[in-house]
């Protein structure tokens, strides 16, 4: 779907419709209606999330791809922190309700939509889209009904291709294991976001709401930002992830292992300060994994299937990470207690390390295969040159 439709137009449509559903969510007073609207809020933001790594992979300079990926990912923790603090503190210390933060967001989206609509199209649309558009220019439908039919046909074909490509992608070990490893990281972070407030309110912490909102909010934004930037810069300094997948995978595994080890200290922390400090370190090393992991998922697949690879990876992130994390943690809390729910969440990070270790093995095997194929090609080229040279010598007539 991405090569068929203009990315710029889809980005503008996504921002506008996202703003509309955000406004409706803030204005809704029905729980059922709010759930439906919340679903469409996620749908409208999906294209932006899917297209970002594709855009970085195509437009970023080769020497700075990881840094660009890191900068794009900074917005996520910053947005989470602003929402976390605004939603927790604004209603307490002002006369504004929690709905006001959503209305403010709608106002911010207006200049964003205008900026995107007036930006240079060549800076947003992929080259593949431009080529495709040039070939098919003049064959576009003019009526609204025809355009709607084309869109539905394209959507059906996209979903069909996505499923077929998903099967293909699952057979690429570097891609599959990196996606699963990142999913486990999102699992841990999302579960903690949902249950850290009641956890710190209980014994032995007995922390106040202000301490939790400010302390955890600062941890959520500053730690991943530091990790994402530093991780991206380090990988770019040592050659990036293109053609250097085993080194990048080793870096991800090292950061993930350190985060998991410090997470064990979080399990048994008994003061708010020690818990939040350990959490900061966990999120910092976890943030360092994100740009590298996302870069590897894009670099490990052919450019022709990257839109599908990005879509499928985000489906997995949402299902196994953002959705499953709070659900599993909630059930563990229901079956046991809050303490074991948090501890089991931190334990899941070690499952992510298993996937990242498998990704490292796959990366080394891939590079060994590439090196072997290159050597065979060189030998074949030398043999071909030798045959040509021998044929030339034989074919030269002898002088009498």
């Amino acid at each position: 779907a991405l090569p068929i439709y203009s990315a710029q137009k889809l980005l503008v449509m996504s921002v506008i419709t996202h703003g509309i559903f955000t406004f409706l969510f803030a204005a809704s007073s029905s729980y059922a209606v709010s759930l439906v609207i919340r679903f469409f809020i996620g749908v409208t933001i999906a294209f932006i999330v899917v297209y970002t790594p594709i855009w970085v992979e195509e437009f970023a300079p080769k020497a700075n791809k990881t840094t660009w990926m890191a900068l794009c990912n900074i917005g996520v923790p910053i947005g989470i922190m602003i929402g976390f603090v605004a939603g927790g503190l604004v209603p307490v210390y002002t006369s504004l309700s929690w709905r006001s933060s959503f209305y403010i967001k709608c106002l911010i989206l207006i200049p964003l939509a205008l900026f995107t609509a007036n930006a240079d199209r060549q800076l947003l649309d992929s080259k593949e889209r431009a080529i495709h558009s040039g070939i098919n220019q003049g064959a576009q439908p003019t009526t609204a009904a025809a355009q709607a039919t084309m869109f539905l046909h394209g959507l059906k074909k996209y979903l069909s291709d996505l499923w077929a490509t998903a099967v293909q992608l699952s057979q690429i070990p570097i891609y599959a294991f990196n996606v699963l490893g990142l999913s486990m990281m999102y699992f841990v972070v999302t579960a903690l976001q949902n249950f850290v407030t009641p956890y710190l309110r209980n014994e032995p912490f007995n922390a106040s709401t202000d301490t939790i909102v400010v302390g955890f909010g600062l941890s959520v934004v500053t730690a991943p930002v530091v990790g994402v930037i530093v991780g991206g810069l380090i990988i770019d300094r040592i050659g990036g992830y293109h053609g250097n997948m085993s080194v990048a995978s080793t870096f991800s595994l090292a950061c993930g292992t350190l985060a998991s080890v410090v997470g064990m200290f979080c399990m048994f922390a008994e003061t708010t300060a020690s818990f939040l400090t350990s959490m900061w370190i966990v999120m910092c090393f976890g943030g360092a994994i994100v740009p590298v992991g996302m870069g590897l998922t894009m670099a490990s697949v052919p450019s022709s299937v990257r839109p599908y690879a990005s879509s499928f990876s985000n489906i997995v992130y949402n299902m196994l990470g953002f959705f499953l994390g709070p659900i599993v943690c909630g059930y563990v809390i229901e079956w046991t207690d809050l303490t074991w729910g948090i501890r089991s969440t931190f334990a899941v990070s070690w499952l992510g390390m298993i996937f990242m270790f498998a990704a490292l093995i796959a990366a080394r095997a891939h590079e060994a295969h590439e090196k072997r194929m290159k050597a065979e090609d060189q030998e074949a080229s030398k043999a071909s040159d030798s045959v040509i040279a021998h044929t030339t010598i034989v074919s030269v007539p002898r002088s009498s």
Side-chain angles (χ1 to χ4, degrees):
L2 297 180
I4 299 174
Y5 303 102
S6 168
Q8 184 180 36
K9 292 180 179 178
L10 288 175
L11 284 168
V12 174
M13 288 175 57
S14 295
V15 173
I16 293 173
T17 53
H18 184 74
I20 292 172
F21 283 111
T22 300
F23 180 85
L24 294 175
F25 180 81
S28 174
S29 58
S30 169
Y31 178 75
V33 173
S34 296
L35 284 179
V36 174
I37 296 173
R38 181 66 185 85
F39 170 80
F40 285 104
I41 288 176
V43 170
T44 52
I45 201 69
F47 174 74
I48 300 172
V49 175
V50 168
Y51 190 62
T52 297
I54 302 171
W55 179 81
V56 171
E57 186 66 25
E58 179 153 348
F59 289 95
K62 185 176 181 180
N64 303 106
K65 285 185 182 291
T66 316
T67 303
W68 277 43
M69 193 77 76
L71 293 174
C72 287
N73 281 282
I74 286 176
V76 176
I78 291 177
I80 290 173
M81 187 277 293
I82 293 174
F84 191 83
V85 174
L89 296 183
V90 170
V92 176
Y93 293 102
T94 69
S95 58
L96 299 175
S97 69
W98 61 269
R99 301 175 189 271
S100 61
S101 59
F102 290 94
Y103 292 133
I104 294 172
K105 175 183 174 181
C106 294
L107 293 175
I108 296 173
L109 290 176
I110 294 174
L112 178 61
L114 293 174
F115 174 80
T116 306
N118 291 282
D120 187 351
R121 183 174 174 179
Q122 294 182 349
L123 299 177
L124 294 174
D125 280 353
S126 67
K127 297 174 184 177
E128 186 178 353
R129 149 69 190 167
I131 295 172
H132 192 284
S133 178
I135 294 173
N136 293 281
Q137 194 171 12
Q140 300 298 320
T142 56
T143 66
Q147 289 179 346
T149 302
M150 186 188 75
F151 176 79
L152 292 175
H153 180 269
L155 180 61
K156 180 180 178 181
K157 183 179 184 301
Y158 176 75
L159 293 175
S160 175
D161 290 346
L162 178 61
W163 174 252
T165 309
V167 176
Q168 176 187 349
L169 292 171
S170 64
Q171 299 172 0
I172 303 177
I174 302 176
Y175 173 86
F177 289 128
N178 268 291
V179 169
L180 290 172
L182 287 173
S183 297
M184 296 303 99
M185 187 191 69
Y186 295 138
F187 178 105
V188 173
V189 172
T190 311
L192 291 174
Q193 283 178 331
N194 282 268
F195 296 102
V196 73
T197 299
Y199 179 68
L200 291 178
R201 280 179 179 171
N202 289 343
E203 295 286 347
F205 305 103
N206 295 318
S208 66
T209 302
D210 291 354
T211 301
I212 297 171
V213 170
V214 175
F216 186 69
L218 289 175
S219 297
V220 166
V221 65
T222 58
V225 166
V226 172
V228 162
I229 293 177
V230 173
L233 290 173
I234 290 175
I235 289 298
D236 282 339
R237 289 294 183 275
I238 59 179
Y241 50 80
H242 273 280
N244 208 18
M245 291 187 180
S246 63
V247 175
S249 297
T250 301
F251 177 82
S252 293
L253 179 61
C255 289
T257 302
L258 288 171
S260 299
V261 170
V262 177
M264 295 182 67
F265 289 97
C266 286
M267 293 183 187
F268 303 100
E270 295 185 352
T271 65
T272 305
S274 61
F275 180 86
L276 291 177
T277 301
S278 299
M279 272 296 305
W280 194 95
I281 298 173
V282 169
M283 290 189 174
C284 181
F285 283 112
I289 298 172
V290 175
V292 184
M294 286 190 171
L296 287 171
T297 59
M298 292 293 99
S300 61
V301 300
S303 59
S304 59
V305 299
R306 279 174 186 162
Y308 299 102
S310 183
S311 298
F312 182 66
S313 64
N314 276 280
I315 291 173
V316 177
Y317 297 151
N318 280 277
M319 294 302 296
L320 298 184
F322 300 117
F323 173 76
L324 203 59
I327 296 294
V328 172
C329 185
Y331 274 117
V332 173
I333 291 172
E334 184 177 333
W335 294 332
T336 56
D337 58 23
L338 192 57
T339 300
W340 281 106
I342 296 296
R343 289 178 178 176
S344 64
T345 298
F346 279 113
V348 171
S349 62
W350 288 102
L351 178 59
M353 294 310 96
I354 294 175
F355 290 132
M356 289 184 180
F357 181 70
L360 172 59
I361 295 175
R364 289 182 174 177
H366 174 77
E367 290 182 351
H369 175 74
E370 290 291 318
K371 186 176 181 180
R372 186 166 57 251
M373 292 295 293
K374 186 177 181 180
E376 291 177 358
D377 288 342
Q378 289 176 346
E379 289 295 327
S381 178
K382 290 180 181 179
S384 177
D385 292 343
S386 177
V387 171
I388 292 173
H390 179 73
T391 304
T392 302
I393 294 173
V394 171
S395 61
V396 172
R398 296 180 179 180
S399 56
S400 56

